[in-house]
Amino acid sequence: MIDFQSPPPGQSIYTERRAASRPAVPLLSIVVPVFNEAEVLDIFLEDTEAALAGLRVKAEYVFIDDGSTDATARIISRHLAAGLPGRLIGLSRNFGKEAALSAGLEHAHGDIVAILDADLQDPPGLIPQMVDLWRSGFDVVYGLRVDRSQETLAKRGTAHLFYKVFDRLTQISMPANAGDFRLIDRSVVDALKRLPERSRFMKGLFAWVGYSSTYIAYERPLRRAGEGKWNYWRLWNFALDGLTSFSTVPLRIWLYGGGTIATLAIAYAVFLILRVLIYGIDVPGYASLMVSVLFFSGLQLLSIGIVGEYVGRLFIETKQRPVFLVQDVIDYAAAKDEPTLPTDRSAA
C-alpha cells in the first residue's frame, strides 16, 4: 500500500520537483532601479554585501539608472571599477520605475533575481531567507509589509482601498501590501519578458504570471537617507494604470449604469406624461430641469473619461514604442578583455 503523506504547507508536487533541480550555487542577480539615490548608495551596498556574506550564491548587481541628475551613476561606476560584480544600465531619460524594472529583468543573467530599492526600505537582510525558500521549490518569494505605521493615515487608507478594489475588479489575486520587493526564479523572469505591453504595472504582472509563491512578513523601515520620489498624484495615476491594465469592469459598470439610468429616465418621462394627461398638473419647472441636465451631463462626462482612459492605452500600445531606451552599459568585468567599455544602444 502506498503511503500518501501530506506535503508541508505551501508545497506541491511542482515545488518538490523544483527543489530537486535547484543548482547548488546559483547566480543571484540583484536588480536595483535608482533615480537620484546618491546619498544612500554606499549604505545600501554595505548592508547588502553584509547580507550576502556566507550565502552560497554567486552574486551580481544590476543597477538601472533611470535618468538620475545627481552623482548616482558616478558612485555606482566607482564601485564597479573597484571590483563590485555587475553592471550599470543607463537609460536615456527618466522612464519611470516600471520601465526601469523591465530593463533590469532584461539585463539580469541570474538563476534567481532579487528586486529591491536602494533606499533600504526593502531590507537586504531578508535575501538569505528568500534564497532558502527558493531552494525549497518556490519560484516567487515576496516581502509582505505587516506594519505601515510610519506612513500617514491617508496613505494607509488609500493603499488599503486600492488593494480591495483591485481584488474585486480583476481576475487575478495580488497580495495586499506586497510591493516590488521579491526574489523570483529564472522561469518567472523569462515569463515576464514575454509580456509586451507598454503600460506596465509590475505588481500586477508579477501576480498575473502566477507560479508557486510564498511570502516573508516584515516591518518596513524608514528610508535611511535621501528623499522619496512618490507623491499622491503619482500614486493616483499609478493606481489608475493598475486598474485599467487588468480589468474592463469600469467599462462594464457604465454599460449597466447607463442602461439603468436610461430605464429610470424613460419611466419618469412616462410618469410625467400620464400625470399631466390624468390630473392636468404642469410639468416641473426650470430648477428641476437644470438639476437633471447637470446631473446627467456629469455622468456622461465621467463615463466618457473612463472610456478615454482605455482608448488612451490602446493609443499607446498601437504605437509600439520601446518601454525603455538604453544609452550606455557600464560593465568593468566585461571590459577587462576589451579596450573600451561596452556600450549597448539597443531598446526593449
Side-chain angles (χ1 to χ4, degrees):
M1 180 176 180
I2 301 176
D3 181 17
F4 291 101
Q5 296 181 350
S6 298
Q11 289 279 3
S12 68
I13 188 173
Y14 304 114
T15 55
E16 292 170 6
R17 287 169 57 85
R18 294 276 196 178
S21 63
R22 300 299 196 207
V25 184
L27 174 60
L28 168 64
S29 295
I30 302 174
V31 171
V32 189
V34 290
F35 176 64
N36 292 343
E37 297 288 3
E39 296 180 37
V40 76
L41 279 171
D42 290 334
I43 307 173
F44 167 79
L45 286 171
E46 181 181 348
D47 285 13
T48 306
E49 287 293 285
L52 297 179
L55 190 61
R56 288 191 304 121
V57 297
K58 293 180 292 184
E60 66 167 9
Y61 291 86
V62 183
F63 290 97
I64 307 92
D65 179 16
D66 192 21
S68 297
T69 56
D70 63 358
T72 293
R74 191 171 298 278
I75 293 172
I76 296 172
S77 177
R78 187 186 70 224
H79 282 284
L80 293 173
L84 185 74
R87 63 199 65 88
L88 169 63
I89 314 300
L91 302 188
S92 61
R93 65 170 177 83
N94 179 252
F95 286 89
K97 185 180 179 182
E98 309 302 289
L101 284 177
S102 299
L105 296 178
E106 190 71 31
H107 289 83
H109 303 154
D111 302 300
I112 43 179
V113 173
I115 301 171
L116 64 164
D117 292 336
D119 58 14
L120 292 172
Q121 290 188 284
D122 300 337
L126 294 180
I127 292 178
Q129 298 177 49
M130 290 180 164
V131 172
D132 288 340
L133 288 169
W134 172 80
R135 292 186 194 278
S136 69
F138 290 103
D139 295 315
V140 179
V141 184
Y142 57 89
L144 190 66
R145 290 170 284 188
V146 295
D147 181 16
R148 305 183 69 159
S149 58
Q150 76 277 10
E151 298 176 352
T152 63
L153 181 62
K155 187 173 181 179
R156 294 200 304 269
T158 52
H160 174 75
L161 179 62
F162 167 73
Y163 285 114
K164 189 172 183 179
V165 171
F166 189 92
D167 187 59
R168 290 291 184 90
L169 297 187
T170 65
Q171 296 180 346
I172 62 175
S173 178
M174 186 176 69
N177 296 318
D180 297 315
F181 179 37
R182 64 192 64 218
L183 183 140
I184 57 179
D185 183 72
R186 166 52 56 180
S187 59
V188 181
V189 175
D190 292 339
L192 289 167
K193 288 165 64 176
R194 293 174 57 191
L195 305 181
E197 57 252 51
R198 271 70 182 167
S199 299
R200 302 181 75 80
F201 178 64
M202 293 303 296
K203 283 192 284 291
L205 295 180
F206 288 135
W208 186 89
V209 296
Y211 290 86
S212 59
S213 63
T214 188
Y215 67 89
I216 293 178
Y218 73 103
E219 296 182 6
R220 197 178 197 203
L222 294 173
R223 169 183 274 270
R224 296 276 290 275
E227 297 181 355
K229 309 304 184 296
W230 290 99
N231 54 47
Y232 283 108
W233 179 246
R234 285 189 176 184
L235 290 173
W236 163 254
N237 286 301
F238 187 59
L240 197 60
D241 285 339
L243 288 174
T244 53
S245 295
F246 288 89
S247 176
T248 58
V249 172
L251 291 175
R252 196 168 297 171
I253 288 175
W254 285 106
L255 171 64
Y256 295 120
T260 301
I261 293 174
T263 302
L264 293 174
I266 292 172
Y268 186 60
V270 172
F271 166 74
L272 291 177
I273 293 172
L274 291 177
R275 190 172 67 169
V276 171
L277 292 177
I278 297 174
Y279 298 105
I281 300 176
D282 293 336
V283 177
Y286 175 78
S288 60
L289 179 62
M290 286 301 298
V291 170
S292 299
V293 169
L294 292 174
F295 174 72
F296 288 112
S297 297
L299 286 180
Q300 289 172 349
L301 290 174
L302 182 59
S303 62
I304 291 173
I306 291 177
V307 173
E309 285 291 330
Y310 286 91
V311 173
R313 277 151 182 77
L314 288 173
F315 175 68
I316 292 173
E317 294 296 332
T318 53
K319 288 188 291 186
Q320 296 187 349
R321 289 177 180 170
V323 177
F324 59 86
L325 292 173
V326 176
Q327 67 171 335
D328 203 355
V329 176
I330 299 177
D331 186 348
Y332 284 98
K336 289 179 180 178
D337 300 325
E338 300 178 8
T340 58
L341 295 179
T343 301
D344 184 358
R345 303 285 178 179
S346 63

